[in-house]
């Protein structure tokens, strides 16, 4: 949990993770969720896709682009299960920001909870960036949260960051627990008005 | 923007305030907890020294890692990691005064099976669980949302989530179900038509004659798979079917209080002239039993229809997905799924692990035995479902047919316990996800279908049209004559 709450820019080298509808069962296979902490999740990130039959690392992008900070993905990334293990694993592997064509909603919400900006951009822009990373593995990509852009080389991608996510990251109020905890008395009033909530 | 829909009304009633980030702070009336996604959230709470805000609004059970073989349920569990998760949950619920349905309670099971059958899920509530299939509870006319672990922490600490209101799409399902066609087929049809990401940004309100006709268990199956269509939630307006189902359940009030509750339930229904962001109509007349042929739940066809060629899809993404699917499933376009060899059949889950699902499968298994070489698992969605099936002798039918009759849990839906596909086994499954690797083996292949179709596949050892089992005259079966029946 970052205490440096304001997140306006993230940057670093990139890793393309191509494919549409990449589901969270691929990002983090369920059999690795049997741990009561998120500590080791990076080891399990894309576990099956990253290994060959003998369990050795293959040429999956995550193996080729170690040390990257910006993941670049395609359509409906993170669909399926709501497991926060998936973005947790990406974060712990080193991902600070994601650029993609579109994200599944629960995945995007989970990214917000973790302070990981998720920028959506057009198919053309995303694939061009993925190709550029392949050619420039050491090249820097910068996501500017306020401007909703991703910049690399001399190219600027004008994308879109969900309003709530943008506000949360820029104003440093993505720790929703803290935010909502201060309204606890209002919560009690709302609850008391509901016919199904018994008096406490 | 939608207006005067159930979603709008329930949202308003549960909205605490608008947050500075533009989201709404939404009170959660029922929070369901299981062992896999909650320990980290409880740990975060402890780190901050915060207590659970509304312990009595939280209920917990164990499902994902629960062993389903009776002798493996003795404690400590043989799998150390599973034991750790379960004891962490037990510790957390005890420390925080949360009701827990454990193995001993006789009521343990999948959260989305347990809460409805105990009467915990009721109309006009907001329901959340660290599980994407929380939309299931929308069958009662509630807003059910799946959340991640940080949001579980939010709920434990504040009783609330920070959420954006979605658009509301009304889906009218016209027509009525033919014999051998079920609620599962309705939702598969909807996902086929609208796509796996068609619901992004939306909640689905299901209605129309085919939905009204469904009993509660059918409605639960429909709402369950809203997430597979990309919708954040899915619901059905409550009606007499809903109220009849609720009457007499353990957590439902009785007498006058029931009548008072009912007034509230009636008040939150979508108005006749409610406004929707969009309306879609789907006709279910003449729909044959559906099966998936691919690796996402939108890759669906009628069982005797030809498998589509990748270039028959318009969108580039659908074409690529079709190519990947054909390769993984080892299928050719133009073939049908009839006769596709099956190694494992799995009946259960939060989609189709309820009494009526076992009942309909038992009708097919009666006086039949499963094919040689088929491994067949029947896993009740809850211990309550199991006991009820056993009281009616349904378990006997399964066992005599050659099924393994198990204890309750998620089991081979996602293979976090010992139940898993091996190698490239094909599984005829009543679950909700056919993603690669989902059932525990990265080469494993999943074909989603209704419980009746699973039972029929178990008997034949291949994908078949279950409707032939309802016709007493037909005793021997091959893929070709099934095609004729289907035609
Ligand atoms: S049965 Fe499957 S889909 Fe349902 S809660 Fe369990 S793992 Fe999730």
């Amino acid at each position: 949990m970052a205490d440096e709450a304001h997140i306006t820019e993230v940057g670093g080298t990139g890793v393309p993770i191509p494919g549409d509808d990449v589901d969270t069962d691929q990002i983090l296979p369920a059999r690795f969720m049997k741990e009561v902490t998120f500590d080791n999740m990076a080891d399990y990130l894309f576990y099956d896709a990253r290994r060959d039959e003998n369990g050795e690392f293959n040429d999956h992008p995550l193996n080729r682009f170690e040390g990257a900070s910006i993941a670049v993905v395609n359509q409906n990334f993170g669909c399926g299960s709501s497991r926060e293990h998936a973005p947790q694993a990406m974060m712990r592997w080193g991902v600070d920001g994601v650029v993609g064509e579109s994200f599944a909603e629960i995945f995007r919400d989970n990214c917000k909870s973790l302070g990981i900006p998720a920028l959506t951009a057009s198919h053309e822009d995303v694939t061009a960036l993925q190709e550029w990373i392949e050619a420039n593995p050491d090249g820097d990509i910068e996501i500017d949260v306020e401007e909703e852009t991703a910049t690399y080389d001399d190219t600027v991608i004008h994308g879109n960051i969900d309003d709530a996510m943008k506000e949360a990251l820029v104003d440093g109020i993505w720790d929703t627990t803290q935010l909502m905890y201060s309204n606890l008395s209002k919560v009690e009033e709302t609850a008391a008005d509901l016919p199904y909530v018994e008096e406490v | 923007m939608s207006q005067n829909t159930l979603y709008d009304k329930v949202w308003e009633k549960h909205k605490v305030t608008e947050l500075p980030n533009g989201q709404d702070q939404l009170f959660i009336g029922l929070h369901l907890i299981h062992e896999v996604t909650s320990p980290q959230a409880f740990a975060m709470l402890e780190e901050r020294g915060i207590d659970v805000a509304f312990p009595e609004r939280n209920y917990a059970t164990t499902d994902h890692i629960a062993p389903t073989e009776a002798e493996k349920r003795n404690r400590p569990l043989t799998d150390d990691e599973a034991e750790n998760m379960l004891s962490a949950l037990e510790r957390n619920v005890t420390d925080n005064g949360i009701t827990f349905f454990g193995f001993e309670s006789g009521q343990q099971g999948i959260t989305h099976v347990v809460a409805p059958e105990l009467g915990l899920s009721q109309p006009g509530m907001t329901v959340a669980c660290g599980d994407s299939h929380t939309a299931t509870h929308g069958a009662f006319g509630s807003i059910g949302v799946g959340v991640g672990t940080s949001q579980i922490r939010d709920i434990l600490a504040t009783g609330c989530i920070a959420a954006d209101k979605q658009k509301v799409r009304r889906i009218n399902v016209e027509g009525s179900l033919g014999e051998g066609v079920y609620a599962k087929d309705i939702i598969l049809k909807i996902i086929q038509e609208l796509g796996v990401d068609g619901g992004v940004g939306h909640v689905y309100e299901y209605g129309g004659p085919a939905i009204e006709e469904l009993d509660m268990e059918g409605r639960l199956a429909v709402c369950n798979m809203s997430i597979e269509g990309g919708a954040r939630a899915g619901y059905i307006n409550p009606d007499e079917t809903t109220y009849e189902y609720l009457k007499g359940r353990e957590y439902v009030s009785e007498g006058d209080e029931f009548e008072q509750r009912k007034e509230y339930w009636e008040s939150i229904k979508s108005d006749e002239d409610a406004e929707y962001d969009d309306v879609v109509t789907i006709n279910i007349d003449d729909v044959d039993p559906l099966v998936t042929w691919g690796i996402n739940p939108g890759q669906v066809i009628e069982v005797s229809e030809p498998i589509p060629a990748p270039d028959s899809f318009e969108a580039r993404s659908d074409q690529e997905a079709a190519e990947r699917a054909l390769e993984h499933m080892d299928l050719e376009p133009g073939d049908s799924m009839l006769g596709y060899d099956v190694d494992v059949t799995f009946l259960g889950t939060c989609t189709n692990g309820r009494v009526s699902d076992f009942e309909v499968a038992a009708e097919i298994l009666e006086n039949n035995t499963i094919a040689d070489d088929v491994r067949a698992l029947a896993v009740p969605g809850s211990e309550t479902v199991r006991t009820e099936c056993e009281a009616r002798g349904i378990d006997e039918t399964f066992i005599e047919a050659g099924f393994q009759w198990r204890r309750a849990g998620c089991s081979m839906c996602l293979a976090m316990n010992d139940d898993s596909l091996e190698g490239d086994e094909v599984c005829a499954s009543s679950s909700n996800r056919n993603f690669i690797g989902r059932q525990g083996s990265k080469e494993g292949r999943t074909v989603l279908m209704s419980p009746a179709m699973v039972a029929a596949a178990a008997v034949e050892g291949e994908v078949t049209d279950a409707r032939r089992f309802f016709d007493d005259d037909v005793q021997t079966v091959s893929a070709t004559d099934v095609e004729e029946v289907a035609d």
Side-chain angles (χ1 to χ4, degrees):
Chain A
M1 305 271 338
D3 286 318
E4 64 285 13
H6 300 268
I7 298 175
T8 51
E9 278 177 3
V10 294
T13 60
V15 51
I17 308 177
D20 293 332
D21 304 316
V22 172
D23 56 75
T24 50
D25 278 278
Q26 291 177 54
I27 302 174
L28 198 108
R31 61 184 190 281
F32 301 115
M33 288 164 62
K34 289 201 278 193
E35 293 183 14
V36 291
T37 70
F38 289 129
D39 299 349
N40 302 323
M41 287 301 137
D43 298 344
Y44 311 133
L45 181 64
F46 282 98
Y47 191 94
D48 291 332
R50 279 171 78 184
R51 285 167 180 78
D52 63 18
E53 305 83 67
N54 308 319
E56 305 291 327
F57 274 155
N58 56 20
D59 66 347
H60 190 278
L62 287 168
N63 301 331
R64 290 187 288 122
F65 297 89
E66 272 268 34
S69 312
I70 306 294
V72 184
V73 304
N74 299 94
Q75 273 180 38
N76 198 25
F77 186 82
C79 62
S81 144
S82 61
R83 63 190 68 150
E84 188 170 306
H85 300 68
Q88 282 275 1
M90 291 174 66
M91 181 177 82
R92 285 161 200 271
W93 183 87
V95 171
D96 295 327
V98 201
V99 180
E101 292 178 52
S102 64
F103 301 97
E105 278 157 8
I106 302 185
F107 182 84
R108 197 193 54 210
D109 278 1
N110 282 334
C111 283
K112 182 172 64 203
S113 310
L114 300 178
I116 304 173
L119 177 87
T120 53
S122 70
H123 173 64
E124 289 69 32
D125 285 343
V126 167
T127 41
L129 176 53
Q130 288 176 326
E131 280 160 24
W132 182 82
I133 297 172
E134 287 287 349
N136 301 278
D138 298 324
D140 262 336
I141 306 159
E142 188 115 318
I143 299 179
D144 185 315
V145 179
E146 267 179 302
E147 297 297 321
E148 304 182 38
T149 56
T151 308
Y152 63 100
D153 230 4
D154 35 20
T155 309
V156 181
I157 297 178
H158 293 275
N160 182 36
I161 293 179
D162 172 71
D163 288 348
M165 173 183 270
K166 182 169 148 180
E167 293 258 0
L169 296 175
V170 173
D171 297 343
I173 44 175
W174 43 277
D175 181 346
T176 41
T177 299
Q178 214 174 353
L179 202 61
M180 295 196 293
Y181 196 67
S182 55
N183 297 331
L184 213 51
S185 60
K186 270 195 214 157
V187 178
E188 274 155 14
E189 284 167 32
T190 308
D193 279 347
L194 291 164
Y196 66 84
V197 177
E198 321 278 323
E199 308 256 330
V200 199
Chain B
M1 279 312 276
S2 65
Q3 265 180 13
N4 301 329
T5 67
L6 179 144
Y7 183 71
D8 293 287
K9 295 185 195 181
V10 175
W11 189 282
E12 258 338 288
K13 290 213 182 300
H14 290 78
K15 177 173 163 177
V16 175
T17 183
E18 191 178 320
L19 294 168
N21 67 5
Q23 290 188 300
D24 284 345
Q25 178 168 351
L26 199 68
F27 179 70
I28 295 300
L30 175 65
H31 179 217
L32 304 170
I33 296 170
H34 64 81
E35 71 284 5
V36 177
T37 52
S38 66
Q40 302 87 349
F42 279 107
M44 294 175 191
L45 219 61
E46 218 161 278
E47 246 170 56
R48 297 178 181 213
I50 302 179
D51 289 336
V52 175
F54 298 90
E56 71 291 346
R57 307 302 321 158
N58 293 266
Y59 293 86
T61 184
T62 170
D63 48 13
H64 286 66
I65 55 99
T68 56
E69 287 159 277
E71 61 282 7
K72 289 196 181 163
R73 292 192 171 223
N74 297 332
R75 303 289 298 277
L77 302 175
T78 43
D79 176 346
D80 289 345
E81 288 179 309
E83 174 57 36
N84 264 347
M85 300 207 97
L86 185 52
S87 25
L89 179 64
E90 287 166 338
R91 211 171 37 245
N92 287 328
V93 293
T94 313
D95 290 354
N96 293 286
I98 293 171
T99 307
F100 174 56
F101 306 112
F103 294 150
E104 259 88 79
S105 70
Q107 294 178 316
Q108 170 268 337
I110 306 169
T111 55
H112 314 310
V113 176
V114 170
E117 72 193 358
L118 295 183
L120 285 166
S121 317
Q122 295 178 14
M125 283 184 169
T126 45
V127 185
C129 174
D131 188 283
S132 54
H133 290 98
T134 312
T136 311
H137 309 271
F140 290 90
S142 63
I143 303 177
V145 288
V147 295
T149 297
S150 298
Q151 287 173 303
I152 299 177
R153 175 196 67 202
D154 287 349
I155 300 170
L156 293 173
T158 71
C160 296
I161 56 169
D164 297 301
K165 209 170 160 199
Q166 311 279 307
K167 293 184 182 147
V168 185
R169 173 176 297 147
R170 163 84 181 187
I171 301 180
N172 282 318
V173 187
E174 302 289 340
S176 63
L177 293 170
E179 185 177 35
V181 186
Y182 305 93
K184 179 71 161 282
D185 300 289
I186 296 184
I187 188 63
L188 286 173
K189 182 78 193 161
I190 291 172
I191 299 168
Q192 179 194 39
E193 298 229 343
L194 303 180
V196 287
D197 56 0
V200 171
H202 290 81
V203 300
Y204 284 169
E205 173 178 307
Y206 307 99
I211 297 291
E212 282 159 26
E213 241 176 59
L214 293 175
D215 61 12
M216 280 316 292
E217 300 201 342
R219 294 178 187 190
L220 287 159
V222 169
C223 291
N224 175 269
M225 289 186 71
S226 302
I227 188 78
E228 271 64 55
R232 192 60 194 267
Y235 67 87
I236 295 169
N237 282 297
D239 60 11
E240 283 307 318
T241 307
T242 323
Y243 310 144
E244 276 310 307
Y245 178 93
L246 285 166
K247 227 172 245 170
R249 300 205 174 245
E250 189 174 337
Y251 286 87
V252 179
S253 14
E254 291 170 26
D256 285 352
E257 226 177 294
F258 183 90
E259 294 307 319
Q260 274 168 17
R261 284 290 165 82
K262 197 166 147 182
E263 275 170 37
Y264 171 64
W265 300 341
E266 283 283 301
S267 76
I268 49 88
K269 285 161 78 158
S270 294
D271 290 349
E272 293 270 341
D273 58 355
E275 283 173 36
Y276 298 91
D277 293 283
D278 68 7
V279 179
V280 174
T281 300
I282 285 176
N283 198 310
I284 201 76
D285 273 336
D286 305 323
V287 169
D288 286 346
L290 292 160
V291 292
T292 56
W293 55 272
I295 50 174
N296 75 49
Q299 293 173 322
V300 172
I301 48 174
E302 292 182 355
V303 64
S304 51
E305 250 180 344
I307 294 161
D311 60 14
S312 68
F313 293 96
E314 257 168 53
R316 166 195 57 91
S317 53
D318 291 339
Q319 293 177 359
E320 285 170 10
E323 272 162 24
R324 261 181 291 138
L326 292 171
E327 195 194 318
H328 183 80
M329 299 297 288
D330 194 16
L331 285 166
E332 293 291 333
D335 291 354
S336 86
M337 287 301 288
L338 287 169
Y340 189 62
D341 274 337
V342 160
D343 308 294
V344 178
T345 56
F346 172 55
L347 187 59
T349 79
C350 59
T351 317
N352 284 128
R354 302 188 175 81
V355 175
S356 59
D357 300 313
F358 292 96
E359 228 166 29
V360 65
E363 259 177 65
I364 287 171
L365 296 174
E366 192 83 50
N367 303 320
N368 275 311
T369 46
I370 62 170
D372 297 343
D373 310 333
V374 167
R375 188 149 58 93
L377 256 66
V379 186
S382 71
E383 286 294 285
T384 310
V385 170
R386 180 179 68 84
T387 1
E388 189 161 337
C389 286
E390 289 177 3
R392 295 201 211 167
I394 292 174
D395 58 322
E396 295 295 330
T397 311
F398 274 88
I399 293 163
E400 275 162 26
F403 264 80
Q404 303 174 36
W405 182 255
R406 295 286 185 87
R407 309 296 287 265
C410 294
S411 180
M412 211 191 275
C413 181
L414 90 168
M416 281 190 77
N417 67 351
D418 290 343
D419 309 332
S420 168
L421 292 185
E422 307 286 338
D424 66 354
E425 279 181 332
V426 173
C427 180
S429 178
S430 73
S431 56
N432 47 37
R433 284 189 176 142
N434 51 346
F435 297 146
I436 293 178
R438 172 75 180 182
Q439 293 194 284
S441 159
K442 65 172 169 170
E443 288 92 33
R445 293 170 284 172
T446 303
V447 185
L448 303 178
M449 55 184 79
S450 73
M453 291 284 283
V454 171
V459 174
E460 296 305 331
E462 57 186 38
V463 175
T464 186
D465 189 331
R467 289 175 300 184
R468 63 179 307 106
F469 286 88
F470 301 124
D471 184 344
D472 292 339
D473 301 334
V474 194
Q475 287 304 332
T476 50
V477 198
S478 75
T480 20
D481 58 38
V482 173
E483 241 152 41
E484 278 156 26
V485 174
D487 286 343

